Structures are given as structure tokens and as C-alpha cells.
Amino acid sequence: MERRRMDTKRLRTWATVPNVVLCCMLALFWMFLWVTFQSPTNLPLEPYPGAPIVPARFVSLLSMAVGGIVLLVRARTAAGKPARMARMALYGACVVASVLLVALDVLDGEYDGDFVGTPFFAACVLWGAVGALVYTEFGRLFSALGTARFRFCVACCIISVVCSLPLHLAAWYLHGEFRETVVLLFIVTFCPVLDYLRRAFALKEPAPDRQTRIPVKFVLTLLVLGLALGMMQGLFTAFTAAIPGKSDLNPLSSLGFVVASMLCFAAVFVARMDFNRLIYQVGFPFMALGFLVVAVGGSSFFGYLFSLAGYQFTELCLWVLCIYLAVQIRGVGRWVFALLCCVTSFAQALGLGLVDGADLVGLQREVCVVVGATLLAFGLYSVTSKNPYESWGIMRPGESDEANVLEQACELIAVEEFFTPREKDVFLLLAQGHNRMAVSQRLVVSENTVKTHMSNIYQKLGVHTQQELIDAVEARCKELRERGTKLEF
């Protein structure tokens, strides 16, 4: 009863106007990404008469990648403009882009959300540039908010994905002018709402970057993730375009967002997995499952559904990881989401280009086997880390900050002292203050077995009592708190 009362109180605390506005804006953001970059629709683009025809998404994604690179370089190298000048530039960019998009749409005589020829090419470039800007600014907002409300940011990301599903379906089934109007209103209102949220949450600008190195493992993860989604998107688009009556499978595939959010909630808040297991033992295998479903069963719809769910799940985990890193490492919040944006969009464009340009549609099964096996192999290779101090993977986003510090300290000690898996379980419970009887009940083993594990643990640590063990763990926790701003990728 007391726990239920606490949960009700927490829900009331979260259901404030700024929190609801933030969740709704993030849902619109996921819808914007889906409509502009991720939905598997067949939109051939001919920039001018006689030019090679390319997928419109390819142009949008490349433009987004270039925009992300510009923002990344500016955040890491430039001193930056004053805050007021930067906000004015952001306002101006959103307004100008919206006006140009409306102008490009009405060139054919009516406002209907449909573009052709050169205006279509220009619109795709604008969509990509605006996408990079919105992606980066949303990331900076969550980076600043995560310092005080990390668990709320995690929950907001998950809930907003579910809330975006009706918007996906409405954008598909209603007229083109509705879809474009909603997206344009999102772009126009984005800056004022962002400023409102910064004032409501009393957020400050991120501190200057201390020139943290860009992590290779992180970039490789983004490349493999985006490449796999782009290839599956290209294969599924060709499948629905070639078979009459299959176009309704495009919007239905967005159900993968719901699967991703449910999976993320279970993995983060119920199973309380760390980032390594979330990304490499759940997200990547789920994407690989989609490719294997296509290769073995020949079901492109369910294959794309699973792959999209795995991608969205992994992107959510990477968003949460970026928020965590921005909290822990000074200045990372200025550029880490720009890195996430440019690398994934470039890789996705590359995947689309490979399927379309190399005509891999006829080799669908073979491609799916290769990509699925690559995803599984990459996940298996990346789940481990040689240096525990530089491993962001051992952190659990579903835990409170103090619980994370304690578990990280125990994890590091267990790695350094070569504890067995069962010794590590016993060690964590002892560090939390449980006695031998409580440990035996938790692990469902005899007290003599616990006594044997305790003896081995004490010998490895060079301690003689449980209090000395707790003191050693607390000393490591203090060290981790002090080096919190010194954490590396």
C-alpha cells in the first residue's frame, strides 16, 4: 500500500505542465523523424530532367549528415556566439526554412504537401538541414535536464515514442497538406517551446568542452546501426512498391515503435540492464532477428517491423547514453547529439544507396543473412570492454544515481580482483549491508555456500570483516564521485 501511494505521488509530481509539454514535443519530434527520414515510402527524386533518379530519403539523410557535421565541428572548435545571438540564429533558421518549404510546395499551383522536380530536391535538402538542427537542439535540452532529472528523461523518451504512433498513422492516412502543416507547425513552434522549457526547468547552457576525444566504439556502433536500418528500409520499400495493395504495410510498420518502447521499459526499469547489454545484447540481436526473418521466412513486413523495433530501441538507449555522458563529462552535451545525428543519418543514407544503386533487391535473402550475421558478430565483439574505467557500458540507466555508483564500484572491484560470477553476486549484496542469512535467502543457496564465497572474497580483497568490505566499497564510491567529471568514453 505504501509503495502504491509513493508511485501515485511520483506520477502526480511528473504530470506537470512543463513535463507534459516536453513529452508532447518529443512525440512530435519522433513523428518528424519518421515522416522525413525513416518511413519506408518509395519517393523517387529526379533533381532535374535527365538526372539520375535517387530515393528522396537518400538526399534528405545526406543533407542531415552534412548539417550534423557542421554543428559538430562548430560545437567542438568554435568559441561560439553569445547565447542571445545563437537563439536568434536558431529562430531565424526555423522561420526561413518553413517559409521556403511552403513556397516550394505552392510552385505547382497548390498547397498539397507534394513536391516534384527541382523543388522536391530543394525541399529534401531543407528537411535534412532542419532535421540536424532540431535533433541537436533537442539533445542539448535533454543534456541540461538530465543533470537533475536523469530518470525522468529516460521515462520521457520511452513514453513519447508510444505517443508518436497516432501521429505516424495520421500523417499517412490523412491528406498531404495535413502532414506538411503538422510538420511545419512543429518547426515554427519548436524554438518558442524550447525557450519555455528552459525557463520552466531553470536550465543553464552546457559548460565549455574540455576537448574530450570522440570514441571509436561509439562511432562504429552508430555506423553499423544506421547502415542496417538503411538497407532494411531500402529492401522493404522495394517490396511494398513491387506488390500492389501492400502500401498499407508502410504505416503499419510503425508499430515497431510501440514494440521498442515496451522492450525498452522492460529492459531498463524491470530487468535493469546496463548499457552494454541494452545495446549489444538486446538492440542489435533484435535488428538481426528482423533480417533473419526475411532470409528464412521471407516475410519482409515482420522483418522490417523487428528491425525497426530494434533500431528504435537502440536509438532510445543511445539517447539515454548520450544524456548520461553529458551529465558525467563536462561539455559533451554541446556536441554528442550532433555526432549521433550525423553518423546515423550518413550510415542510413549509405545503406539506402547500396540497396538502390547496387540493385541488391534481387539478392534479398543473401543480403539479409550477411547483415544479420554482421549485427550479431558486432554485438558479441562490442559487449566487452578491456578497461572498466572507460566502459560506459556497465552503468544502468534504470537505477538511481547512488545505486549506479555503488554497483559501478562493485563491478570495477569484481573485475580487478577476478571475482567469479557468483562471488560478484555475493559481494554486491554484502556491500549493500546484507548479512549471511539474507544473502543465502536472496541467492537461494545454503549459508555454508555463502560462507565459502565470503571467505574467498575477503581473501582477494585483503579484509577480515564485512565492515572492512563496506569501507573499501565506500572508498571506491567516493573515488568514482570525484572522478565523475573526469569520466571517459
Side-chain angles (χ1 to χ4, degrees):
M1 182 65 69
E2 182 64 26
R3 183 174 182 180
R4 183 179 300 175
R5 190 180 297 112
M6 291 296 294
D7 290 340
T8 304
K9 184 177 179 181
R10 186 179 295 110
L11 286 175
R12 290 176 180 174
T13 303
W14 281 11
T16 61
V17 174
N19 291 348
V20 173
V21 171
L22 177 62
C23 190
C24 291
M25 282 299 291
L26 193 58
L28 286 169
F29 170 70
W30 297 126
M31 183 273 293
F32 169 73
L33 292 183
W34 168 257
V35 169
T36 313
F37 306 105
Q38 295 176 356
S39 63
T41 50
N42 186 23
L43 298 172
L45 171 60
E46 186 179 13
Y48 54 88
I53 297 177
V54 296
R57 306 265 184 244
F58 179 80
V59 177
S60 298
L61 287 165
L62 275 187
S63 177
M64 189 177 183
V66 173
I69 291 172
V70 172
L71 294 171
L72 173 64
V73 172
R74 181 181 179 277
R76 286 184 60 85
T77 61
K81 299 179 181 179
R84 186 171 181 179
M85 293 291 293
R87 303 309 297 171
M88 290 177 62
L90 182 60
Y91 271 82
C94 290
V95 172
V96 170
S98 301
V99 172
L100 289 176
L101 286 167
V102 173
L104 291 170
D105 187 18
V106 299
L107 282 179
D108 59 359
E110 60 178 332
Y111 177 79
D112 55 2
D114 294 326
F115 301 84
V116 291
T118 303
F120 192 18
F121 177 81
C124 289
V125 173
L126 279 173
W127 287 130
V130 171
L133 193 62
V134 170
Y135 202 108
T136 303
E137 286 299 317
F138 242 128
R140 292 182 64 175
L141 174 71
F142 271 83
S143 298
L145 182 60
T147 304
R149 307 184 63 189
F150 178 69
R151 282 167 60 84
F152 166 74
C153 291
V154 179
C156 184
C157 289
I158 296 173
I159 294 171
S160 62
V161 169
V162 179
C163 296
S164 68
L165 179 62
L167 297 172
H168 298 165
L169 299 178
W172 174 266
Y173 287 111
L174 298 181
H175 297 293
E177 57 266 25
F178 169 83
R179 178 174 59 250
E180 185 174 358
T181 300
V182 172
V183 173
L184 289 174
L185 286 175
F186 166 71
I187 295 173
V188 171
T189 59
F190 172 73
C191 294
V193 172
L194 223 63
D195 282 342
Y196 161 75
L197 292 173
R198 290 183 184 277
R199 290 192 302 269
F201 294 124
L203 301 180
K204 299 180 180 179
E205 285 293 317
D209 188 13
R210 62 181 183 88
Q211 295 302 316
T212 306
R213 63 185 176 86
I214 294 180
V216 176
K217 177 182 175 181
F218 186 72
V219 173
L220 287 177
T221 299
L222 301 181
L223 283 172
V224 174
L225 181 70
L227 185 64
L229 178 68
M231 296 185 72
M232 177 57 80
Q233 185 180 4
L235 292 172
F236 185 64
T237 300
F239 166 75
T240 55
I243 303 177
K246 295 293 186 181
S247 59
D248 282 344
L249 294 180
N250 289 332
L252 291 178
S253 64
S254 62
L255 291 172
F257 281 68
V258 177
V259 177
S261 59
M262 294 173 60
L263 189 63
C264 195
F265 177 83
V268 172
F269 290 110
V270 179
R272 300 186 185 278
M273 294 182 176
D274 55 50
F275 283 114
N276 263 331
R277 294 170 64 194
L278 286 170
I279 296 172
Y280 302 115
Q281 292 187 341
V282 178
F284 272 71
F286 221 82
M287 285 197 75
L289 175 63
F291 283 93
L292 296 179
V293 165
V294 175
V296 177
S299 176
S300 293
F301 171 71
F302 286 102
Y304 185 71
L305 182 69
F306 288 135
S307 290
L308 180 64
Y311 173 84
Q312 189 62 30
F313 170 87
T314 309
E315 186 177 30
L316 278 173
C317 294
L318 289 170
W319 258 68
V320 175
L321 173 60
C322 289
I323 296 170
Y324 170 77
L325 294 174
V327 171
Q328 295 293 329
I329 308 174
R330 191 185 69 184
V332 166
R334 288 178 172 269
W335 57 265
V336 69
F337 279 92
L339 176 67
L340 179 63
C341 169
C342 68
V343 176
T344 51
S345 55
F346 171 77
Q348 189 181 345
L350 182 61
L352 272 173
L354 282 174
V355 172
D356 189 72
D359 195 20
L360 298 180
V361 177
L363 301 173
Q364 177 174 289
R365 292 182 182 274
E366 291 81 356
V367 170
C368 287
V369 170
V370 172
V371 177
T374 302
L375 286 169
L376 291 174
F378 183 82
L380 180 64
Y381 171 78
S382 302
V383 76
T384 59
S385 177
K386 295 181 179 179
N387 189 343
Y389 284 105
E390 297 184 358
S391 175
W392 36 261
I394 64 176
M395 300 306 298
R396 301 184 181 189
E399 296 284 2
S400 63
D401 292 340
E402 189 58 34
N404 257 327
V405 172
L406 177 65
E407 292 199 12
Q408 186 184 16
C410 292
E411 183 78 24
L412 293 174
I413 294 173
V415 171
E416 294 168 349
E417 302 298 338
F418 301 100
F419 286 172
T420 65
R422 181 55 82 181
E423 287 174 354
K424 186 168 67 173
D425 294 337
V426 173
F427 174 57
L428 177 59
L429 293 174
L430 292 174
Q432 292 172 343
H434 298 286
N435 59 25
R436 187 168 65 189
M437 180 181 297
V439 173
S440 68
Q441 292 174 350
R442 287 287 190 92
L443 300 180
V444 196
V445 295
S446 68
E447 289 191 41
N448 287 333
T449 301
V450 174
K451 184 177 180 180
T452 301
H453 289 313
M454 290 175 63
S455 177
N456 293 334
I457 292 169
Y458 287 174
Q459 182 178 2
K460 291 179 180 180
L461 292 178
V463 299
H464 301 89
T465 65
Q466 184 177 359
Q467 186 57 51
E468 291 181 4
L469 180 148
I470 293 175
D471 291 341
V473 174
E474 288 182 349
R476 182 57 61 88
C477 289
K478 182 179 178 181
E479 176 187 340
L480 290 174
R481 295 188 195 98
E482 291 176 351
R483 59 181 279 127
T485 55
K486 302 178 183 179
L487 182 71
E488 296 288 350
F489 284 99

